[in-house]
Amino acid sequence: MSAGPQAGPAQVSFAQVGMWITERMGRAGSAYHMPLLITLDGPLDPCALIQACEALIRRHPVLSSAIEERDGILVEVPGARPPIRVTVAGDLDELVREETLRPFDVERGPLARITLVRVSPTRHVLIFVAHHLVFDGESKDVLVRDLAAFYNGVPIVRLPVSYAAHAEAERDRVAADLDAARDYWREHWREPGEVALPGLSGAPSRGAAEGFVHTYRAELPDVPGASRFEVFLASVHALLFAYGNAEPVCAIDVSTRTPEVRDHIGLFVNELPVSSTPCPGMTVAALAVRLHGDLREMYRFRPVPLARAVRGLRPRTALAPVSVSYRKRRADPGFAELDATVDWTVFNHAVRSALHLQAVDGPDGLTVIMQYSSSVLVTQIAKDLTAIMKNPDTVLGEIAAGRTEPASLADEIRAIWQEVLGIDEIGDEEDLFDLGGHSLTITQIIARMRKRLGIEVPLDVFFDTPTIAGVLESIGDSAEAGRPDVAGSRR
């Protein structure tokens, strides 16, 4: 069911060019690795699932492609076919980490890999990892939907065009809009400078770095005259304004999909900056409505890469220190006779900016995923952003963000436990091992406490007193102790 072969190598898309250059500069690390987990409970037919994976790869040949430079032109060429590996689980978390961090060879492929893990006779986990060069956030929905259809034996309509054909048509669209886009950005572009965030010191690196993730549920009321994404973006701008950024700038992911490629796997994203000049007397809702108008004007040039429209723009992993994305997620597709659970937000262990905020709006509510550098005080930022999102009628000048008390040491430790264990709420007296922790979990917690809090906790503490309260007692501080210099001096 593939879209058919192309005659000769085709030029890659503009988005692929920018990403390929960043990769070649050695600045990306694992920031462009995109993992996805599907847990299947019940009587799985492994052979049928493997056949479904093979059919998926045939349907989306971009997964079997690679990128080469030929006479200064980047072209899509046939690459190694994505492998499908079958194994038995030892340490599932460690296996996911290994598969996520394993490098890709962008010039030879494969640019995707699949591992089917047998956890028990009635539980299997499919680990899929792709390079961002051939995959984006919306591709996750396409992949799971197509995979379920193939497993269930449901026919799928043939794709009308290939990714290469879309890239060629995109070049024509960009050429037609380029002059107007240059005029637009000549008036609206400004170089994103340093950003003020709680705990952040110095300018963020222009390359990807090791990072952390914090996930939580949130509320986002509807605002007349603005989409839910625009309300979320306005909330982030309001937060940055409250932190002392007079003219907030966020990089956002803009989809470049056309109706012809809505069912394709591939890279269909353009990163563009959105700036604002909030007024203290304006409400968050009013800012969202203003951004609605600004975005509609900018969207006229959504396919045009910023580097083509703005002179002197240098390659970098992140366009701005703070980036924002939003995705509307549909219900998980069903696999015949199986209970399927999809983890859409597996972390790739790297950050491209000081702070990336992703909102995933699904049937079960809104989830906010914060990927951040180690120096950012994520618990305070999450608390401040949650309050702003819940109250869009709040006047910007009255937002108390950044003026709250620093998070307690207990809260900072709790945030680390929540990140590592993937649990939203953990009480002071809850046992680490009852929560699913193990020796690898403990070493990850120790490493993050050392790097983020400047505290070294011996391994045996977690075995003797495996609770947050026990760890606090071993440190010699009460739960009310403030974060930092005192704890840091105990190294």
Side-chain angles (χ1 to χ4, degrees):
M1 291 191 180
S2 68
Q6 292 289 310
Q11 289 190 49
V12 302
S13 67
F14 288 116
Q16 287 177 312
V17 170
M19 198 169 292
W20 184 89
I21 291 173
T22 304
E23 275 280 8
R24 288 298 297 269
M25 293 173 67
R27 292 181 174 178
S30 61
Y32 292 139
H33 296 191
M34 302 190 69
L36 179 76
L37 296 186
I38 307 175
T39 300
L40 301 165
D41 289 309
L44 175 73
D45 182 343
C47 292
L49 184 60
I50 292 171
Q51 290 173 356
C53 292
E54 295 283 3
L56 177 87
I57 293 168
R58 290 193 298 271
R59 177 172 172 81
H60 300 283
V62 70
L63 294 176
S64 300
S65 67
I67 295 178
E68 287 185 2
E69 178 186 351
R70 296 187 177 179
D71 297 325
I73 303 295
L74 296 181
V75 295
E76 177 188 312
V77 297
R81 188 176 181 81
I84 304 173
R85 185 163 71 99
V86 180
T87 187
V88 177
D91 187 328
L92 181 61
D93 291 340
E94 181 59 24
L95 179 59
V96 172
R97 179 183 176 87
E98 290 175 359
E99 290 299 310
T100 299
L101 295 177
R102 190 146 54 92
F104 288 95
D105 186 339
V106 300
E107 295 185 337
R108 296 180 178 83
L111 295 182
R113 46 183 175 259
I114 302 172
T115 304
L116 176 59
V117 185
R118 183 180 185 271
V119 180
S120 74
T122 58
R123 167 165 286 193
H124 293 76
V125 176
L126 191 75
I127 306 171
F128 176 88
V129 186
H131 196 286
H132 204 356
L133 281 164
V134 295
F135 205 72
D136 61 12
E138 199 166 339
S139 294
K140 294 180 179 181
D141 295 276
V142 176
L143 180 143
V144 177
R145 186 181 67 234
D146 285 0
L147 192 63
F150 284 129
Y151 182 81
N152 298 336
V154 177
I156 305 179
V157 176
R158 182 186 179 92
L159 294 175
V161 298
S162 67
Y163 183 82
H166 165 79
E168 182 177 357
E170 183 183 66
R171 282 190 290 276
D172 294 336
R173 290 192 297 272
V174 169
D177 292 339
L178 188 55
D179 288 342
R182 284 172 174 164
D183 291 340
Y184 171 83
W185 286 114
R186 191 174 295 115
E187 179 180 349
H188 293 85
W189 165 253
R190 73 174 188 274
E191 181 77 24
E194 296 183 14
V195 64
L197 289 172
L200 183 66
S201 59
S205 169
R206 289 184 177 269
E210 180 187 3
F212 305 94
V213 64
H214 179 62
T215 302
Y216 63 96
R217 304 299 295 273
E219 298 177 29
L220 187 67
D222 293 331
V223 170
S227 69
R228 288 177 64 79
F229 163 64
E230 289 156 354
V231 177
F232 180 65
L233 180 62
S235 299
V236 177
H237 274 236
L239 180 74
L240 294 177
F241 182 70
Y243 286 156
N245 302 278
E247 296 184 348
V249 180
C250 292
I252 67 169
D253 293 330
V254 179
S255 174
T256 59
R257 287 179 184 262
T258 60
E260 293 79 13
V261 293
R262 64 183 181 183
D263 295 324
H264 277 250
I265 285 174
L267 177 58
F268 302 93
V269 175
N270 189 14
E271 188 180 37
L272 297 174
V274 178
S275 60
S276 66
T277 52
C279 302
M282 177 187 293
T283 65
V284 178
L287 180 59
V289 173
R290 176 187 289 184
L291 286 173
H292 172 85
D294 294 342
L295 288 170
R296 291 303 172 277
E297 185 180 4
M298 187 186 76
Y299 285 161
R300 293 183 296 138
F301 312 108
R302 69 167 60 221
V304 181
L306 193 65
R308 298 294 305 277
V310 177
R311 290 186 176 181
L313 193 64
R314 298 181 180 181
R316 63 191 72 177
T317 55
L319 189 60
V322 176
S323 55
V324 173
S325 63
Y326 173 91
R327 193 161 66 86
K328 190 81 172 178
R329 185 176 63 76
R330 290 166 283 189
D332 295 351
F335 288 75
E337 300 182 6
L338 298 171
D339 183 10
T341 305
V342 183
D343 188 344
W344 303 91
T345 58
V346 184
F347 187 41
N348 60 15
H349 304 282
V351 290
R352 295 187 290 131
S353 56
L355 178 65
H356 176 70
L357 301 116
Q358 180 184 12
V360 178
D361 220 346
D364 54 348
L366 183 77
T367 300
V368 177
I369 302 99
M370 302 175 63
Q371 299 177 2
Y372 61 99
S373 64
S374 61
S375 61
V376 171
L377 294 182
V378 67
T379 51
Q380 179 176 330
I381 295 174
K383 178 181 178 181
D384 292 340
L385 180 60
T386 299
I388 294 171
M389 290 170 61
K390 288 175 62 176
N391 302 285
D393 292 330
T394 302
V395 176
L396 299 186
E398 298 176 0
I399 295 175
R403 296 192 291 274
T404 59
E405 291 298 316
S408 70
L409 181 58
D411 288 339
E412 293 293 342
I413 294 174
R414 191 185 335 277
I416 292 173
W417 283 41
Q418 289 170 347
E419 294 163 15
V420 174
L421 295 170
I423 299 175
D424 291 337
E425 297 293 337
I426 299 177
D428 286 355
E429 300 294 340
E430 290 192 78
D431 190 289
L432 175 67
F433 296 99
D434 292 341
L435 296 170
H438 45 74
S439 57
L440 177 62
T441 303
I442 293 172
T443 58
Q444 292 174 350
I445 290 173
I446 290 173
R448 295 190 188 193
M449 290 180 63
R450 179 192 309 119
K451 183 169 184 178
R452 201 180 312 172
L453 306 179
I455 298 172
E456 186 70 49
V457 179
L459 185 64
D460 57 1
V461 167
F462 288 86
F463 288 96
D464 296 337
T465 56
T467 65
I468 292 174
V471 171
L472 280 168
E473 185 178 356
S474 75
I475 294 171
D477 289 315
S478 66
E480 291 79 24
R483 178 174 181 240
D485 30 16
V486 176
S489 66
R490 287 178 164 77
R491 253 201 258 221

